[in-house]
Amino acid sequence: MLRQAASAAAEVLVGGRGAGMTHAWLFTGPPGSGRSAAAKAFAAALLCPDQGCGHCDSCHQVEVGSHPDLESVRPQGLSYSVKQTRELILRAAGRATQGGWRIVLFEDADRATEQAANALLKAIEEPPPRTVWLLCSPAADDMIITIRSRCRVVTLRTPSTQAVTHVLTTRDNVPQQIAESAARAAQGRISRARRLALDESVRRRREAVLSLPRTLTGVGECINAAERLVKTADEDAAAATSELNETETSELRALYGEGSSGKGLNKGLIRGGAGALKELENAQKSRATRIKRESLDSALLDLMAFYRDVLAVQFGAQVELANEDRRPDLEVLARTGTAEDTLRRVDAILLCRERLAANVNPQIAVEAMTLSLRNPRG
Amino acid sequence: MLPGMGNVAAVTLVVGDEELLADRAVGAVVAEVREGGEVAEVHDLLGGKVEAGELTRLTSPSLFGDRAIIVIRSAQDLSKDVIAEVVKYANNPGEDAVLVLAHPGGVKGKALVDGVKKAGARLVIVTKLTKAGERIDFIRNEVRQAGHTITPVAAQALLDAVGSDLRELAAACSQLIFDTGTKSIGEDAVARYHRGRAEVSGFTVADLAVEGKAGEALEQLRWALATGVAPVLIVSALAGGLRSLAKVSGAPRNANENQLASQLGMPPWKIRNARRQLNGWGPEGLSRAIQSVARADEQVKGGGTDPAYALENTVQTIIANRTGH
């Protein structure tokens, strides 16, 4: 469908009818299905004179993110505000510099707030003749219905373990065995599988999370386990943001005239500097919260896959286990509890994820979860 | 120099953000001037409204030999020109005028503070009282100055009931002194006029709930909500209280508190406290109590309609699970 669209798009450019091309696309698929990768490839195909040859200047520019006609948006904070959206719409309305299409690639479009999504409506419905919107979200339901109805939906599916293994061994030169276990553990999320395969510390983190169910023997242990989980997430956020924050702040300070010398210049920040700094600080805080939540969520997903495997063992289901390497643990847990207990535990993890999304204090939410994991009928 | 004004500094600078004490410092200067029985006119000005030249006009000698007391409050709002005028005057003050400047501290209008200080003005510093002990001292001082005494327990009760605002405390003290016939003010005298609490922290509620005192815990919870403590803070205090119980319950019973401190990441006094509170708690009850706090946090943050209900409910759940098993 996309290839057809790309050739239709080329037809439009030379003045043809271009059946099969449209101005708004919504790429949906579960995490790891490569939504943004697919959207990017489509963008490259639209911008490339050969409809995505992969080796011309244009394709290369799209690949590294420097193509002048590709506006790439990836929300960094918890949400994408209506103000940012309005600015984006303005930029999207510009004419393409190279005479082709002007493309806006909006990753994680589900992060847009409701107001922001409403602001997008008009722009998506009737964009300037050569502007194309490419939105990405995990599921079509994540976007408000008025946006969904204005887009052509491209649905991607989760790649199989085999496919992920193949990518890891061929593209990243990962040994077969590690690639396989990483692909199984990541449950189809390619980026996660890649990190698991390439980064020793990510693997160790996963091991720590998965050894958690065995340690939940008493109430005190549950509280300690929760504390460790939350602390690790905090450290992740701190590690990912501290250096970035510092450079951003000093750059902004320099922009507002700090450290400048010469006649007629004052040493401190010029007017508006303090406000801009405050704004930056808020954005950084929001980003840190998001990273923290995502790190915690990734741990919870690992745990959930673990209990899913326990359930599979309990039922004797012949499915591929994400945690094949921990089969003894799975069997012990499968024997000591009933399937109902396991389901209750999975529910507790789901509840915790919901609570985290609802802004409940992470430590409190995770404590409640570990306690439920210990005694699911409590 | 005229009689009666001999000891009064020509320029007084009152620096600090404790309004009541600043007012008193200003009042003391005025009283000092009038002590000699002289008539002196007080010009009470606000910093933002003083115009250039006004000070010069007010401080210039009067034809009738009257004395003038010029009080400038919120001196941080003075304009640049007026600050220069004030500093100039402070360097060479007139003989029959007294100038009092009240500045709340901070950076705004710092030139005034520095300039007047340099000119050798009398400096009075009135900073906010931050510690509970300082406020108790304040109460005792208030009562003592009126020739009465107050017992420590009564002072504490008064502080609990009235809150930390000095103006209100001072008013309460003078009222108590007026109403109490005896020389010493006791607990019952305070209790006759003041009840309840002006300031309740979430920790008070948490401690009472964990100790299973249902009535008191709910009462204090209402007080806390009524005095504007954020529900989120109360939830986190409840969670914190139960968390320390859970941590301590998992630690070996006979271990030394000081050794446990580093292991559990809690100060020894808190461990001692938690050990005392652990009486009556079992693992399952504790577990259910913590679950209910998580539910409350969710409800307080928009998952429920009424934060107060969510809090009362969780306090009751906590208490019910304490006597469980």
Side-chain angles (χ1 to χ4, degrees), chain B residues 37-83:
Chain B
E38 300 291 333
V39 186
E41 195 181 348
V42 179
H43 302 278
D44 208 330
L45 311 173
L46 265 179
K49 292 191 175 157
V50 180
E51 282 163 19
E54 200 168 351
L55 183 72
T56 314
R57 184 172 60 78
L58 291 172
T59 51
S60 52
S62 154
L63 192 61
F64 307 105
D66 286 348
R67 270 156 297 288
I69 304 171
I70 300 123
V71 180
I72 302 181
R73 296 176 200 271
S74 312
Q76 79 277 14
D77 294 335
L78 287 175
S79 69
K80 229 176 178 177
D81 302 343
V82 182
I83 288 182

Side-chain angles (χ1 to χ4, degrees), chain B:
Chain B
M1 193 161 288
L2 295 150
M5 288 180 68
N7 301 326
V8 184
V11 181
T12 307
L13 176 65
V14 181
V15 184
D17 48 0
E18 182 51 69
E19 231 181 276
L20 175 75
L21 297 183
D23 273 0
R24 284 189 175 175
V26 172
V29 175
V30 175
E32 232 179 310
V33 174
R34 286 178 171 169
E35 220 165 67
E38 300 291 333
V39 186
E41 195 181 348
V42 179
H43 302 278
D44 208 330
L45 311 173
L46 265 179
K49 292 191 175 157
V50 180
E51 282 163 19
E54 200 168 351
L55 183 72
T56 314
R57 184 172 60 78
L58 291 172
T59 51
S60 52
S62 154
L63 192 61
F64 307 105
D66 286 348
R67 270 156 297 288
I69 304 171
I70 300 123
V71 180
I72 302 181
R73 296 176 200 271
S74 312
Q76 79 277 14
D77 294 335
L78 287 175
S79 69
K80 229 176 178 177
D81 302 343
V82 182
I83 288 182
E85 195 182 336
V86 171
V87 173
K88 198 175 152 209
Y89 175 79
N91 277 311
N92 191 12
E95 284 197 343
D96 42 17
V98 170
L99 176 63
V100 186
L101 303 158
H103 188 282
V107 192
K108 201 176 172 198
K110 201 163 171 289
L112 177 85
V113 177
D114 295 342
V116 173
K117 252 192 218 168
K118 217 172 172 188
R122 187 166 65 137
L123 188 66
V124 181
I125 292 173
V126 285
T127 43
K128 268 219 174 359
L129 305 185
T130 48
K131 299 194 186 83
E134 289 174 350
R135 294 198 187 98
I136 297 271
D137 287 345
F138 173 81
I139 294 176
R140 300 178 73 171
N141 223 356
E142 286 287 303
V143 177
R144 199 178 312 129
Q145 274 174 7
H148 287 246
T149 55
I150 185 165
T151 62
V153 184
Q156 181 65 50
L158 188 64
L159 182 64
D160 284 348
V162 176
S164 51
D165 187 71
L166 285 197
R167 213 176 271 275
E168 285 182 32
L169 277 177
C173 285
S174 71
Q175 187 69 42
L176 269 178
I177 293 160
F178 185 79
D179 288 337
T180 312
T182 55
K183 191 169 183 318
S184 169
I185 298 171
E187 224 177 315
D188 45 336
V190 173
R192 196 185 315 145
Y193 298 103
H194 300 279
R195 244 168 224 284
R197 275 168 171 267
E199 288 153 1
V200 182
S201 75
F203 299 108
T204 325
V205 180
D207 278 339
L208 288 167
V210 163
E211 284 160 21
K213 296 173 183 156
E216 277 177 73
L218 286 174
E219 186 189 329
Q220 297 298 328
L221 173 64
R222 289 271 174 96
W223 277 116
L225 289 172
T227 51
V229 180
V232 176
L233 293 182
I234 302 178
V235 174
S236 76
L238 288 171
L242 291 168
R243 187 175 299 140
S244 21
L245 285 197
K247 275 187 173 178
V248 174
S249 79
R253 263 172 202 275
N254 45 9
N256 183 304
E257 283 143 11
N258 296 321
Q259 287 165 355
L260 277 183
S262 63
Q263 196 186 324
L264 299 180
M266 289 161 71
W269 64 266
K270 217 171 170 184
I271 298 178
R272 213 169 305 130
N273 208 15
R275 277 193 166 153
R276 184 175 53 75
Q277 290 176 332
L278 255 176
N279 256 337
W281 279 102
E284 301 314 319
L286 201 49
S287 169
R288 274 194 296 271
I290 294 175
Q291 308 267 14
S292 92
V293 172
R295 219 161 23 244
D297 198 37
E298 192 179 3
Q299 282 167 349
V300 160
K301 286 181 178 157
T305 43
D306 185 3
Y309 169 78
L311 283 170
E312 277 184 20
N313 195 18
T314 186
V315 165
Q316 279 173 327
T317 314
I318 290 171
I319 292 166
N321 278 303
R322 177 174 180 269
T323 42
H325 53 93

